[in-house]
PDB file of all heavy atoms in Angstrom:
ATOM      1  N   ASP A 816       0.810  -1.224   0.000  1.00 95.00           N
ATOM      2  CA  ASP A 816       0.000   0.000   0.000  1.00 95.00           C
ATOM      3  C   ASP A 816       0.848   1.281   0.000  1.00 95.00           C
ATOM      4  O   ASP A 816       0.343   2.364   0.305  1.00 95.00           O
ATOM      5  CB  ASP A 816      -0.958   0.002   1.185  1.00 95.00           C
ATOM      6  CG  ASP A 816      -0.250  -0.031   2.536  1.00 95.00           C
ATOM      7  OD1 ASP A 816       0.971  -0.297   2.560  1.00 95.00           O
ATOM      8  OD2 ASP A 816      -0.921   0.209   3.559  1.00 95.00           O
ATOM      9  N   ALA A 817       2.095   1.180  -0.367  1.00 95.00           N
ATOM     10  CA  ALA A 817       2.968   2.358  -0.431  1.00 95.00           C
ATOM     11  C   ALA A 817       2.426   3.338  -1.468  1.00 95.00           C
ATOM     12  O   ALA A 817       1.909   2.927  -2.503  1.00 95.00           O
ATOM     13  CB  ALA A 817       4.391   1.948  -0.787  1.00 95.00           C
ATOM     14  N   PRO A 818       2.538   4.633  -1.189  1.00 96.00           N
ATOM     15  CA  PRO A 818       2.043   5.629  -2.146  1.00 96.00           C
ATOM     16  C   PRO A 818       2.733   5.503  -3.505  1.00 96.00           C
ATOM     17  O   PRO A 818       3.921   5.200  -3.591  1.00 96.00           O
ATOM     18  CB  PRO A 818       2.393   6.970  -1.489  1.00 96.00           C
ATOM     19  CG  PRO A 818       2.672   6.663  -0.056  1.00 96.00           C
ATOM     20  CD  PRO A 818       3.123   5.236   0.011  1.00 96.00           C
ATOM     21  N   ALA A 819       1.988   5.772  -4.554  1.00 96.00           N
ATOM     22  CA  ALA A 819       2.499   5.644  -5.920  1.00 96.00           C
ATOM     23  C   ALA A 819       3.699   6.552  -6.159  1.00 96.00           C
ATOM     24  O   ALA A 819       4.661   6.151  -6.820  1.00 96.00           O
ATOM     25  CB  ALA A 819       1.396   5.943  -6.926  1.00 96.00           C
ATOM     26  N   HIS A 820       3.673   7.775  -5.615  1.00 96.00           N
ATOM     27  CA  HIS A 820       4.798   8.690  -5.841  1.00 96.00           C
ATOM     28  C   HIS A 820       6.081   8.171  -5.196  1.00 96.00           C
ATOM     29  O   HIS A 820       7.164   8.336  -5.745  1.00 96.00           O
ATOM     30  CB  HIS A 820       4.470  10.115  -5.354  1.00 96.00           C
ATOM     31  CG  HIS A 820       4.457  10.269  -3.881  1.00 96.00           C
ATOM     32  ND1 HIS A 820       3.370   9.937  -3.100  1.00 96.00           N
ATOM     33  CD2 HIS A 820       5.418  10.712  -3.026  1.00 96.00           C
ATOM     34  CE1 HIS A 820       3.653  10.163  -1.828  1.00 96.00           C
ATOM     35  NE2 HIS A 820       4.886  10.627  -1.756  1.00 96.00           N
ATOM     36  N   GLU A 821       5.952   7.524  -4.044  1.00 96.00           N
ATOM     37  CA  GLU A 821       7.127   6.951  -3.388  1.00 96.00           C
ATOM     38  C   GLU A 821       7.679   5.780  -4.213  1.00 96.00           C
ATOM     39  O   GLU A 821       8.885   5.652  -4.414  1.00 96.00           O
ATOM     40  CB  GLU A 821       6.773   6.472  -1.982  1.00 96.00           C
ATOM     41  CG  GLU A 821       7.959   5.946  -1.207  1.00 96.00           C
ATOM     42  CD  GLU A 821       7.592   5.515   0.209  1.00 96.00           C
ATOM     43  OE1 GLU A 821       6.457   5.769   0.653  1.00 96.00           O
ATOM     44  OE2 GLU A 821       8.458   4.895   0.862  1.00 96.00           O
ATOM     45  N   ARG A 822       6.781   4.957  -4.714  1.00 96.00           N
ATOM     46  CA  ARG A 822       7.168   3.819  -5.556  1.00 96.00           C
ATOM     47  C   ARG A 822       7.875   4.322  -6.819  1.00 96.00           C
ATOM     48  O   ARG A 822       8.906   3.802  -7.211  1.00 96.00           O
ATOM     49  CB  ARG A 822       5.906   3.023  -5.905  1.00 96.00           C
ATOM     50  CG  ARG A 822       6.139   1.680  -6.496  1.00 96.00           C
ATOM     51  CD  ARG A 822       4.845   0.893  -6.576  1.00 96.00           C
ATOM     52  NE  ARG A 822       4.360   0.455  -5.290  1.00 96.00           N
ATOM     53  CZ  ARG A 822       4.863  -0.557  -4.596  1.00 96.00           C
ATOM     54  NH1 ARG A 822       5.865  -1.234  -5.070  1.00 96.00           N
ATOM     55  NH2 ARG A 822       4.358  -0.897  -3.430  1.00 96.00           N
ATOM     56  N   GLN A 823       7.331   5.385  -7.433  1.00 95.00           N
ATOM     57  CA  GLN A 823       7.914   5.952  -8.645  1.00 95.00           C
ATOM     58  C   GLN A 823       9.295   6.545  -8.368  1.00 95.00           C
ATOM     59  O   GLN A 823      10.227   6.349  -9.138  1.00 95.00           O
ATOM     60  CB  GLN A 823       6.992   7.027  -9.229  1.00 95.00           C
ATOM     61  CG  GLN A 823       7.558   7.734 -10.446  1.00 95.00           C
ATOM     62  CD  GLN A 823       7.874   6.798 -11.591  1.00 95.00           C
ATOM     63  OE1 GLN A 823       7.126   5.863 -11.853  1.00 95.00           O
ATOM     64  NE2 GLN A 823       8.978   7.031 -12.271  1.00 95.00           N
ATOM     65  N   GLN A 824       9.423   7.257  -7.262  1.00 94.00           N
ATOM     66  CA  GLN A 824      10.704   7.868  -6.901  1.00 94.00           C
ATOM     67  C   GLN A 824      11.787   6.818  -6.715  1.00 94.00           C
ATOM     68  O   GLN A 824      12.889   6.947  -7.245  1.00 94.00           O
ATOM     69  CB  GLN A 824      10.555   8.661  -5.597  1.00 94.00           C
ATOM     70  CG  GLN A 824      10.623  10.127  -5.766  1.00 94.00           C
ATOM     71  CD  GLN A 824      10.477  10.838  -4.423  1.00 94.00           C
ATOM     72  OE1 GLN A 824      10.081  10.266  -3.414  1.00 94.00           O
ATOM     73  NE2 GLN A 824      10.806  12.099  -4.434  1.00 94.00           N
ATOM     74  N   LEU A 825      11.470   5.792  -5.946  1.00 95.00           N
ATOM     75  CA  LEU A 825      12.460   4.737  -5.686  1.00 95.00           C
ATOM     76  C   LEU A 825      12.786   3.949  -6.949  1.00 95.00           C
ATOM     77  O   LEU A 825      13.932   3.552  -7.168  1.00 95.00           O
ATOM     78  CB  LEU A 825      11.968   3.804  -4.585  1.00 95.00           C
ATOM     79  CG  LEU A 825      11.995   4.391  -3.179  1.00 95.00           C
ATOM     80  CD1 LEU A 825      11.378   3.421  -2.180  1.00 95.00           C
ATOM     81  CD2 LEU A 825      13.413   4.743  -2.769  1.00 95.00           C
ATOM     82  N   SER A 826      11.799   3.745  -7.782  1.00 95.00           N
ATOM     83  CA  SER A 826      12.011   3.043  -9.037  1.00 95.00           C
ATOM     84  C   SER A 826      12.957   3.841  -9.942  1.00 95.00           C
ATOM     85  O   SER A 826      13.904   3.292 -10.516  1.00 95.00           O
ATOM     86  CB  SER A 826      10.653   2.840  -9.716  1.00 95.00           C
ATOM     87  OG  SER A 826      10.802   2.292 -10.980  1.00 95.00           O
ATOM     88  N   SER A 827      12.730   5.136 -10.044  1.00 94.00           N
ATOM     89  CA  SER A 827      13.598   6.002 -10.850  1.00 94.00           C
ATOM     90  C   SER A 827      15.012   6.028 -10.293  1.00 94.00           C
ATOM     91  O   SER A 827      15.993   5.963 -11.042  1.00 94.00           O
ATOM     92  CB  SER A 827      13.037   7.426 -10.888  1.00 94.00           C
ATOM     93  OG  SER A 827      11.841   7.453 -11.595  1.00 94.00           O
ATOM     94  N   TRP A 828      15.118   6.136  -8.986  1.00 95.00           N
ATOM     95  CA  TRP A 828      16.431   6.148  -8.330  1.00 95.00           C
ATOM     96  C   TRP A 828      17.183   4.849  -8.620  1.00 95.00           C
ATOM     97  O   TRP A 828      18.360   4.860  -8.948  1.00 95.00           O
ATOM     98  CB  TRP A 828      16.275   6.365  -6.830  1.00 95.00           C
ATOM     99  CG  TRP A 828      17.489   5.952  -6.065  1.00 95.00           C
ATOM    100  CD1 TRP A 828      17.607   4.877  -5.244  1.00 95.00           C
ATOM    101  CD2 TRP A 828      18.779   6.580  -6.066  1.00 95.00           C
ATOM    102  NE1 TRP A 828      18.883   4.793  -4.740  1.00 95.00           N
ATOM    103  CE2 TRP A 828      19.618   5.823  -5.226  1.00 95.00           C
ATOM    104  CE3 TRP A 828      19.299   7.690  -6.696  1.00 95.00           C
ATOM    105  CZ2 TRP A 828      20.953   6.153  -5.007  1.00 95.00           C
ATOM    106  CZ3 TRP A 828      20.627   8.017  -6.474  1.00 95.00           C
ATOM    107  CH2 TRP A 828      21.437   7.255  -5.640  1.00 95.00           C
ATOM    108  N   ALA A 829      16.495   3.720  -8.531  1.00 96.00           N
ATOM    109  CA  ALA A 829      17.136   2.423  -8.764  1.00 96.00           C
ATOM    110  C   ALA A 829      17.632   2.298 -10.206  1.00 96.00           C
ATOM    111  O   ALA A 829      18.719   1.767 -10.449  1.00 96.00           O
ATOM    112  CB  ALA A 829      16.165   1.292  -8.435  1.00 96.00           C
ATOM    113  N   ARG A 830      16.858   2.798 -11.172  1.00 96.00           N
ATOM    114  CA  ARG A 830      17.304   2.782 -12.571  1.00 96.00           C
ATOM    115  C   ARG A 830      18.552   3.638 -12.751  1.00 96.00           C
ATOM    116  O   ARG A 830      19.491   3.246 -13.425  1.00 96.00           O
ATOM    117  CB  ARG A 830      16.200   3.309 -13.491  1.00 96.00           C
ATOM    118  CG  ARG A 830      15.267   2.279 -13.995  1.00 96.00           C
ATOM    119  CD  ARG A 830      14.368   2.830 -15.098  1.00 96.00           C
ATOM    120  NE  ARG A 830      13.116   2.114 -15.074  1.00 96.00           N
ATOM    121  CZ  ARG A 830      12.045   2.461 -14.392  1.00 96.00           C
ATOM    122  NH1 ARG A 830      12.022   3.546 -13.683  1.00 96.00           N
ATOM    123  NH2 ARG A 830      10.971   1.716 -14.422  1.00 96.00           N
ATOM    124  N   LEU A 831      18.517   4.832 -12.169  1.00 96.00           N
ATOM    125  CA  LEU A 831      19.678   5.719 -12.266  1.00 96.00           C
ATOM    126  C   LEU A 831      20.909   5.080 -11.639  1.00 96.00           C
ATOM    127  O   LEU A 831      21.998   5.103 -12.213  1.00 96.00           O
ATOM    128  CB  LEU A 831      19.393   7.057 -11.581  1.00 96.00           C
ATOM    129  CG  LEU A 831      18.623   8.072 -12.391  1.00 96.00           C
ATOM    130  CD1 LEU A 831      18.252   9.268 -11.514  1.00 96.00           C
ATOM    131  CD2 LEU A 831      19.409   8.519 -13.599  1.00 96.00           C
ATOM    132  N   GLU A 832      20.739   4.522 -10.469  1.00 96.00           N
ATOM    133  CA  GLU A 832      21.854   3.857  -9.784  1.00 96.00           C
ATOM    134  C   GLU A 832      22.415   2.737 -10.659  1.00 96.00           C
ATOM    135  O   GLU A 832      23.631   2.611 -10.815  1.00 96.00           O
ATOM    136  CB  GLU A 832      21.386   3.304  -8.444  1.00 96.00           C
ATOM    137  CG  GLU A 832      22.485   2.626  -7.669  1.00 96.00           C
ATOM    138  CD  GLU A 832      22.026   2.093  -6.313  1.00 96.00           C
ATOM    139  OE1 GLU A 832      20.811   2.025  -6.065  1.00 96.00           O
ATOM    140  OE2 GLU A 832      22.904   1.742  -5.513  1.00 96.00           O
ATOM    141  N   PHE A 833      21.536   1.943 -11.244  1.00 97.00           N
ATOM    142  CA  PHE A 833      21.967   0.854 -12.120  1.00 97.00           C
ATOM    143  C   PHE A 833      22.798   1.398 -13.282  1.00 97.00           C
ATOM    144  O   PHE A 833      23.888   0.903 -13.566  1.00 97.00           O
ATOM    145  CB  PHE A 833      20.749   0.091 -12.655  1.00 97.00           C
ATOM    146  CG  PHE A 833      21.079  -0.837 -13.788  1.00 97.00           C
ATOM    147  CD1 PHE A 833      21.649  -2.071 -13.547  1.00 97.00           C
ATOM    148  CD2 PHE A 833      20.847  -0.460 -15.103  1.00 97.00           C
ATOM    149  CE1 PHE A 833      21.987  -2.930 -14.595  1.00 97.00           C
ATOM    150  CE2 PHE A 833      21.174  -1.294 -16.159  1.00 97.00           C
ATOM    151  CZ  PHE A 833      21.738  -2.536 -15.897  1.00 97.00           C
ATOM    152  N   GLU A 834      22.280   2.427 -13.962  1.00 96.00           N
ATOM    153  CA  GLU A 834      22.968   2.974 -15.133  1.00 96.00           C
ATOM    154  C   GLU A 834      24.302   3.614 -14.771  1.00 96.00           C
ATOM    155  O   GLU A 834      25.280   3.470 -15.491  1.00 96.00           O
ATOM    156  CB  GLU A 834      22.093   3.992 -15.857  1.00 96.00           C
ATOM    157  CG  GLU A 834      21.085   3.376 -16.773  1.00 96.00           C
ATOM    158  CD  GLU A 834      21.689   2.563 -17.899  1.00 96.00           C
ATOM    159  OE1 GLU A 834      22.723   2.953 -18.496  1.00 96.00           O
ATOM    160  OE2 GLU A 834      21.118   1.516 -18.212  1.00 96.00           O
ATOM    161  N   ILE A 835      24.350   4.328 -13.663  1.00 96.00           N
ATOM    162  CA  ILE A 835      25.599   4.971 -13.253  1.00 96.00           C
ATOM    163  C   ILE A 835      26.640   3.921 -12.894  1.00 96.00           C
ATOM    164  O   ILE A 835      27.793   4.003 -13.316  1.00 96.00           O
ATOM    165  CB  ILE A 835      25.355   5.950 -12.084  1.00 96.00           C
ATOM    166  CG1 ILE A 835      24.533   7.147 -12.581  1.00 96.00           C
ATOM    167  CG2 ILE A 835      26.673   6.412 -11.467  1.00 96.00           C
ATOM    168  CD1 ILE A 835      23.971   8.021 -11.472  1.00 96.00           C
ATOM    169  N   LYS A 836      26.240   2.910 -12.158  1.00 95.00           N
ATOM    170  CA  LYS A 836      27.182   1.859 -11.782  1.00 95.00           C
ATOM    171  C   LYS A 836      27.580   0.995 -12.981  1.00 95.00           C
ATOM    172  O   LYS A 836      28.698   0.495 -13.037  1.00 95.00           O
ATOM    173  CB  LYS A 836      26.577   0.978 -10.684  1.00 95.00           C
ATOM    174  CG  LYS A 836      26.525   1.674  -9.344  1.00 95.00           C
ATOM    175  CD  LYS A 836      25.941   0.766  -8.289  1.00 95.00           C
ATOM    176  CE  LYS A 836      25.988   1.417  -6.924  1.00 95.00           C
ATOM    177  NZ  LYS A 836      25.418   0.533  -5.893  1.00 95.00           N
ATOM    178  N   ARG A 837      26.672   0.832 -13.937  1.00 94.00           N
ATOM    179  CA  ARG A 837      26.958   0.024 -15.120  1.00 94.00           C
ATOM    180  C   ARG A 837      28.095   0.631 -15.934  1.00 94.00           C
ATOM    181  O   ARG A 837      28.972  -0.082 -16.419  1.00 94.00           O
ATOM    182  CB  ARG A 837      25.698  -0.083 -15.988  1.00 94.00           C
ATOM    183  CG  ARG A 837      25.838  -0.983 -17.178  1.00 94.00           C
ATOM    184  CD  ARG A 837      24.502  -1.149 -17.877  1.00 94.00           C
ATOM    185  NE  ARG A 837      24.163  -0.025 -18.723  1.00 94.00           N
ATOM    186  CZ  ARG A 837      24.597   0.127 -19.976  1.00 94.00           C
ATOM    187  NH1 ARG A 837      25.406  -0.751 -20.512  1.00 94.00           N
ATOM    188  NH2 ARG A 837      24.227   1.169 -20.689  1.00 94.00           N
ATOM    189  N   ASP A 838      28.081   1.955 -16.059  1.00 94.00           N
ATOM    190  CA  ASP A 838      29.152   2.618 -16.792  1.00 94.00           C
ATOM    191  C   ASP A 838      29.310   4.039 -16.267  1.00 94.00           C
ATOM    192  O   ASP A 838      28.713   4.976 -16.800  1.00 94.00           O
ATOM    193  CB  ASP A 838      28.866   2.635 -18.291  1.00 94.00           C
ATOM    194  CG  ASP A 838      30.010   3.232 -19.100  1.00 94.00           C
ATOM    195  OD1 ASP A 838      31.032   3.647 -18.502  1.00 94.00           O
ATOM    196  OD2 ASP A 838      29.883   3.280 -20.344  1.00 94.00           O
ATOM    197  N   PRO A 839      30.099   4.223 -15.208  1.00 95.00           N
ATOM    198  CA  PRO A 839      30.249   5.546 -14.595  1.00 95.00           C
ATOM    199  C   PRO A 839      30.910   6.574 -15.510  1.00 95.00           C
ATOM    200  O   PRO A 839      30.824   7.768 -15.253  1.00 95.00           O
ATOM    201  CB  PRO A 839      31.105   5.295 -13.367  1.00 95.00           C
ATOM    202  CG  PRO A 839      31.491   3.878 -13.374  1.00 95.00           C
ATOM    203  CD  PRO A 839      30.828   3.193 -14.506  1.00 95.00           C
ATOM    204  N   THR A 840      31.527   6.126 -16.596  1.00 94.00           N
ATOM    205  CA  THR A 840      32.186   7.066 -17.505  1.00 94.00           C
ATOM    206  C   THR A 840      31.223   7.637 -18.549  1.00 94.00           C
ATOM    207  O   THR A 840      31.597   8.560 -19.275  1.00 94.00           O
ATOM    208  CB  THR A 840      33.361   6.391 -18.242  1.00 94.00           C
ATOM    209  OG1 THR A 840      32.856   5.343 -19.079  1.00 94.00           O
ATOM    210  CG2 THR A 840      34.371   5.833 -17.254  1.00 94.00           C
ATOM    211  N   ARG A 841      30.020   7.103 -18.625  1.00 94.00           N
ATOM    212  CA  ARG A 841      29.045   7.620 -19.596  1.00 94.00           C
ATOM    213  C   ARG A 841      28.644   9.032 -19.227  1.00 94.00           C
ATOM    214  O   ARG A 841      28.414   9.339 -18.061  1.00 94.00           O
ATOM    215  CB  ARG A 841      27.783   6.760 -19.604  1.00 94.00           C
ATOM    216  CG  ARG A 841      27.824   5.682 -20.636  1.00 94.00           C
ATOM    217  CD  ARG A 841      26.611   4.825 -20.577  1.00 94.00           C
ATOM    218  NE  ARG A 841      25.574   5.368 -21.442  1.00 94.00           N
ATOM    219  CZ  ARG A 841      24.308   5.006 -21.366  1.00 94.00           C
ATOM    220  NH1 ARG A 841      23.905   4.145 -20.465  1.00 94.00           N
ATOM    221  NH2 ARG A 841      23.425   5.509 -22.191  1.00 94.00           N
ATOM    222  N   PRO A 842      28.496   9.892 -20.213  1.00 95.00           N
ATOM    223  CA  PRO A 842      28.052  11.264 -19.936  1.00 95.00           C
ATOM    224  C   PRO A 842      26.660  11.290 -19.308  1.00 95.00           C
ATOM    225  O   PRO A 842      25.813  10.442 -19.602  1.00 95.00           O
ATOM    226  CB  PRO A 842      28.036  11.916 -21.321  1.00 95.00           C
ATOM    227  CG  PRO A 842      28.956  11.086 -22.151  1.00 95.00           C
ATOM    228  CD  PRO A 842      28.830   9.680 -21.619  1.00 95.00           C
ATOM    229  N   ASP A 843      26.449  12.273 -18.457  1.00 94.00           N
ATOM    230  CA  ASP A 843      25.179  12.398 -17.744  1.00 94.00           C
ATOM    231  C   ASP A 843      23.987  12.487 -18.684  1.00 94.00           C
ATOM    232  O   ASP A 843      22.928  11.927 -18.409  1.00 94.00           O
ATOM    233  CB  ASP A 843      25.203  13.622 -16.825  1.00 94.00           C
ATOM    234  CG  ASP A 843      26.186  13.456 -15.680  1.00 94.00           C
ATOM    235  OD1 ASP A 843      26.675  12.332 -15.453  1.00 94.00           O
ATOM    236  OD2 ASP A 843      26.462  14.466 -15.000  1.00 94.00           O
ATOM    237  N   ASN A 844      24.139  13.199 -19.805  1.00 94.00           N
ATOM    238  CA  ASN A 844      23.007  13.346 -20.713  1.00 94.00           C
ATOM    239  C   ASN A 844      22.612  12.009 -21.354  1.00 94.00           C
ATOM    240  O   ASN A 844      21.432  11.768 -21.611  1.00 94.00           O
ATOM    241  CB  ASN A 844      23.267  14.422 -21.774  1.00 94.00           C
ATOM    242  CG  ASN A 844      24.403  14.068 -22.711  1.00 94.00           C
ATOM    243  OD1 ASN A 844      25.397  13.459 -22.310  1.00 94.00           O
ATOM    244  ND2 ASN A 844      24.272  14.467 -23.957  1.00 94.00           N
ATOM    245  N   GLN A 845      23.566  11.127 -21.576  1.00 94.00           N
ATOM    246  CA  GLN A 845      23.250   9.811 -22.135  1.00 94.00           C
ATOM    247  C   GLN A 845      22.530   8.942 -21.103  1.00 94.00           C
ATOM    248  O   GLN A 845      21.601   8.221 -21.436  1.00 94.00           O
ATOM    249  CB  GLN A 845      24.518   9.111 -22.619  1.00 94.00           C
ATOM    250  CG  GLN A 845      25.079   9.719 -23.880  1.00 94.00           C
ATOM    251  CD  GLN A 845      26.308   8.971 -24.365  1.00 94.00           C
ATOM    252  OE1 GLN A 845      26.707   7.950 -23.820  1.00 94.00           O
ATOM    253  NE2 GLN A 845      26.928   9.493 -25.415  1.00 94.00           N
ATOM    254  N   ILE A 846      22.971   9.006 -19.864  1.00 95.00           N
ATOM    255  CA  ILE A 846      22.309   8.255 -18.795  1.00 95.00           C
ATOM    256  C   ILE A 846      20.898   8.786 -18.599  1.00 95.00           C
ATOM    257  O   ILE A 846      19.941   8.018 -18.452  1.00 95.00           O
ATOM    258  CB  ILE A 846      23.125   8.317 -17.487  1.00 95.00           C
ATOM    259  CG1 ILE A 846      24.430   7.534 -17.661  1.00 95.00           C
ATOM    260  CG2 ILE A 846      22.326   7.764 -16.311  1.00 95.00           C
ATOM    261  CD1 ILE A 846      25.400   7.650 -16.510  1.00 95.00           C
ATOM    262  N   ALA A 847      20.741  10.109 -18.621  1.00 95.00           N
ATOM    263  CA  ALA A 847      19.419  10.719 -18.464  1.00 95.00           C
ATOM    264  C   ALA A 847      18.474  10.236 -19.568  1.00 95.00           C
ATOM    265  O   ALA A 847      17.322   9.877 -19.298  1.00 95.00           O
ATOM    266  CB  ALA A 847      19.533  12.236 -18.475  1.00 95.00           C
ATOM    267  N   LYS A 848      18.965  10.206 -20.785  1.00 95.00           N
ATOM    268  CA  LYS A 848      18.142   9.762 -21.907  1.00 95.00           C
ATOM    269  C   LYS A 848      17.736   8.301 -21.743  1.00 95.00           C
ATOM    270  O   LYS A 848      16.588   7.939 -21.965  1.00 95.00           O
ATOM    271  CB  LYS A 848      18.911   9.965 -23.217  1.00 95.00           C
ATOM    272  CG  LYS A 848      18.090   9.712 -24.445  1.00 95.00           C
ATOM    273  CD  LYS A 848      18.889  10.067 -25.687  1.00 95.00           C
ATOM    274  CE  LYS A 848      18.059   9.847 -26.935  1.00 95.00           C
ATOM    275  NZ  LYS A 848      18.783  10.224 -28.144  1.00 95.00           N
ATOM    276  N   ALA A 849      18.679   7.466 -21.348  1.00 94.00           N
ATOM    277  CA  ALA A 849      18.396   6.036 -21.165  1.00 94.00           C
ATOM    278  C   ALA A 849      17.364   5.804 -20.061  1.00 94.00           C
ATOM    279  O   ALA A 849      16.564   4.871 -20.143  1.00 94.00           O
ATOM    280  CB  ALA A 849      19.678   5.281 -20.836  1.00 94.00           C
ATOM    281  N   CYS A 850      17.397   6.657 -19.039  1.00 93.00           N
ATOM    282  CA  CYS A 850      16.482   6.501 -17.894  1.00 93.00           C
ATOM    283  C   CYS A 850      15.243   7.383 -17.998  1.00 93.00           C
ATOM    284  O   CYS A 850      14.437   7.423 -17.074  1.00 93.00           O
ATOM    285  CB  CYS A 850      17.222   6.807 -16.598  1.00 93.00           C
ATOM    286  SG  CYS A 850      18.502   5.611 -16.216  1.00 93.00           S
ATOM    287  N   ARG A 851      15.137   8.113 -19.085  1.00 92.00           N
ATOM    288  CA  ARG A 851      14.009   9.023 -19.303  1.00 92.00           C
ATOM    289  C   ARG A 851      13.848   9.999 -18.140  1.00 92.00           C
ATOM    290  O   ARG A 851      12.775  10.138 -17.552  1.00 92.00           O
ATOM    291  CB  ARG A 851      12.718   8.243 -19.532  1.00 92.00           C
ATOM    292  CG  ARG A 851      12.769   7.380 -20.762  1.00 92.00           C
ATOM    293  CD  ARG A 851      11.452   6.664 -20.991  1.00 92.00           C
ATOM    294  NE  ARG A 851      11.657   5.595 -21.946  1.00 92.00           N
ATOM    295  CZ  ARG A 851      11.347   4.346 -21.722  1.00 92.00           C
ATOM    296  NH1 ARG A 851      10.791   3.979 -20.602  1.00 92.00           N
ATOM    297  NH2 ARG A 851      11.572   3.436 -22.633  1.00 92.00           N
ATOM    298  N   THR A 852      14.951  10.656 -17.833  1.00 93.00           N
ATOM    299  CA  THR A 852      14.951  11.644 -16.759  1.00 93.00           C
ATOM    300  C   THR A 852      15.817  12.825 -17.181  1.00 93.00           C
ATOM    301  O   THR A 852      16.272  12.895 -18.313  1.00 93.00           O
ATOM    302  CB  THR A 852      15.427  11.012 -15.426  1.00 93.00           C
ATOM    303  OG1 THR A 852      15.160  11.916 -14.363  1.00 93.00           O
ATOM    304  CG2 THR A 852      16.890  10.636 -15.450  1.00 93.00           C
ATOM    305  N   SER A 853      16.055  13.727 -16.259  1.00 94.00           N
ATOM    306  CA  SER A 853      16.836  14.925 -16.573  1.00 94.00           C
ATOM    307  C   SER A 853      18.316  14.740 -16.238  1.00 94.00           C
ATOM    308  O   SER A 853      18.675  13.930 -15.379  1.00 94.00           O
ATOM    309  CB  SER A 853      16.284  16.119 -15.799  1.00 94.00           C
ATOM    310  OG  SER A 853      16.516  15.937 -14.417  1.00 94.00           O
ATOM    311  N   THR A 854      19.138  15.547 -16.886  1.00 94.00           N
ATOM    312  CA  THR A 854      20.569  15.538 -16.593  1.00 94.00           C
ATOM    313  C   THR A 854      20.837  15.957 -15.145  1.00 94.00           C
ATOM    314  O   THR A 854      21.655  15.325 -14.476  1.00 94.00           O
ATOM    315  CB  THR A 854      21.322  16.432 -17.597  1.00 94.00           C
ATOM    316  OG1 THR A 854      21.058  15.925 -18.913  1.00 94.00           O
ATOM    317  CG2 THR A 854      22.818  16.403 -17.365  1.00 94.00           C
TER     318      THR A 854
END
């Protein structure tokens, strides 16, 4: 029963964490595009 906004926030954070750890040398704008978020 967790609020949807909390679920969305944590989900977005987990994707970002995955992408950053997957290739920390990738430019921020490329990671943002892959995760559909902002730089």
Side-chain angles (χ1 to χ4, degrees):
D816 61 347
H820 73 278
E821 184 178 351
R822 193 170 289 284
Q823 176 59 39
Q824 251 180 346
L825 287 175
S826 174
S827 293
W828 161 251
R830 270 191 209 91
L831 278 172
E832 181 179 13
F833 167 79
E834 278 299 320
I835 292 167
K836 287 181 175 180
R837 185 173 79 84
D838 184 0
T840 64
R841 267 177 90 196
D843 293 348
N844 65 324
Q845 288 182 4
I846 292 173
K848 188 174 181 178
C850 293
R851 298 182 195 125
T852 192
S853 67
T854 301

